[in-house]
Amino acid sequence: MGKWILLLWLGLASLLLFGMMGADKKKAKRGQWRIPEKTLFLVAICGGAVGGTLGMYQFHHKTKHRSFQIGFPFLAVLQLLLLGYLWMN
């Protein structure tokens, strides 16, 4: 049961961060108030790194920021490894 909850959590957090990346890119183009980078990283750390990484490349957003280039994929790999480990045990 626990692994399904983790899968659901990671999926929802990823969908959330994917949407946040798209929304923030749109706001950037319009010169509007932006989502703080700390908030984006907080959602990534809380399980949304896969969605954040996909959103970063889908929307071409934050791709020049070294912290995002390295941080989001690194967190995504860690989260997927954790999920895989828990799934197998």
Side-chain angles (χ1 to χ4, degrees):
M1 179 80 177
K3 56 187 164 187
W4 289 104
I5 292 171
L6 178 61
L7 181 62
L8 179 64
W9 178 268
L10 293 176
L12 291 174
S14 287
L15 283 173
L16 173 64
L17 189 51
F18 184 85
M20 289 172 70
M21 292 295 284
D24 195 48
K25 177 65 176 192
K26 185 181 279 189
K27 289 174 183 251
K29 286 183 174 182
R30 294 180 179 172
Q32 297 175 332
W33 174 86
R34 305 281 302 284
I35 299 170
E37 290 183 355
K38 287 180 182 180
T39 302
L40 297 173
F41 262 103
L42 179 62
V43 177
I45 290 167
C46 290
V50 172
T53 302
L54 293 173
M56 183 172 60
Y57 292 108
Q58 174 69 33
F59 303 113
H60 305 283
H61 190 48
K62 303 288 187 188
T63 55
K64 294 182 181 179
H65 295 249
R66 192 60 116 187
S67 60
F68 284 86
Q69 287 176 342
I70 295 168
F72 274 18
F74 177 76
L75 288 169
V77 168
L78 284 180
Q79 290 168 6
L80 290 172
L81 286 173
L82 174 64
L83 181 64
Y85 175 77
L86 293 175
W87 205 266
M88 296 298 178
N89 293 314

